[in-house]
Amino acid sequence: NTRYDQIHLVPADPPEACGELNNGVFIQDQIALVERGGCSFLSKTRVIQEHGGRAVIIADNAYENDSFYIEMIQDSTRRTADIPALFLLGRDGYMIRRSLEQHGLPWAVISIPVNVTSIPTYEMMQPPWTFW
């Protein structure tokens, strides 16, 4: 029953988060919104973890995707991450980013259950954001 209440969802800069972040100071103790592509899901998660993020939401880079979920599998390394990660459909990630840009906001304030990230989406039978 762990939740992050009233926590910032901060879009990573650069969006793919495959290396050093330009806004890493804002990721500290928050949740990062990252785009798919450029490196493995694990690499992205570790970058956010190294910047002090509590969790990462990785949105598909196919902005028109509104129904196809991608499994975030382990890469071929023996590395691990200690923060939760969640996949988000491309259309939803795009809408969050676009809304923030339109309103001139650097982040969104969200509440999200952490334990949902360990449940495969197909088992929940509904999109993960319905729990937010």
Side-chain angles (χ1 to χ4, degrees):
N1 295 329
T2 302
R3 291 183 59 85
Y4 289 136
D5 288 312
Q6 301 297 296
I7 193 166
H8 293 168
L9 176 64
V10 182
D13 178 24
E16 291 181 345
C18 292
E20 189 62 31
L21 299 177
N22 298 323
N23 65 340
V25 68
F26 299 110
I27 301 291
Q28 178 77 35
D29 291 324
Q30 306 304 321
I31 297 176
L33 177 63
V34 172
E35 277 190 17
R36 178 176 169 233
C39 60
S40 71
F41 290 112
L42 178 59
S43 293
K44 295 171 184 301
T45 303
R46 288 180 54 93
V47 165
I48 299 306
Q49 179 178 307
E50 289 165 7
H51 282 84
R54 290 192 181 182
V56 60
I57 297 176
I58 302 171
D60 195 353
N61 56 359
Y63 299 144
E64 70 282 353
N65 179 13
D66 63 358
S67 62
F68 182 70
Y69 285 93
I70 295 173
E71 290 295 322
M72 296 193 313
I73 59 171
Q74 176 75 17
D75 63 13
S76 60
T77 67
R78 294 180 182 251
R79 301 174 305 160
T80 61
D82 297 320
I83 62 171
L86 173 73
F87 180 77
L88 189 63
L89 293 172
R91 181 170 302 243
D92 297 317
Y94 171 75
M95 294 301 290
I96 291 169
R97 276 198 169 82
R98 189 178 83 172
S99 293
L100 291 173
E101 288 172 7
Q102 286 179 338
H103 292 93
L105 300 171
W107 52 69
V109 178
I110 66 169
S111 295
I112 185 170
V114 179
N115 57 337
V116 172
T117 59
S118 65
I119 302 170
T121 304
Y122 66 87
E123 287 183 14
M124 290 192 312
M125 303 300 285
Q126 55 189 325
W129 57 91
T130 59
F131 295 100
W132 307 356

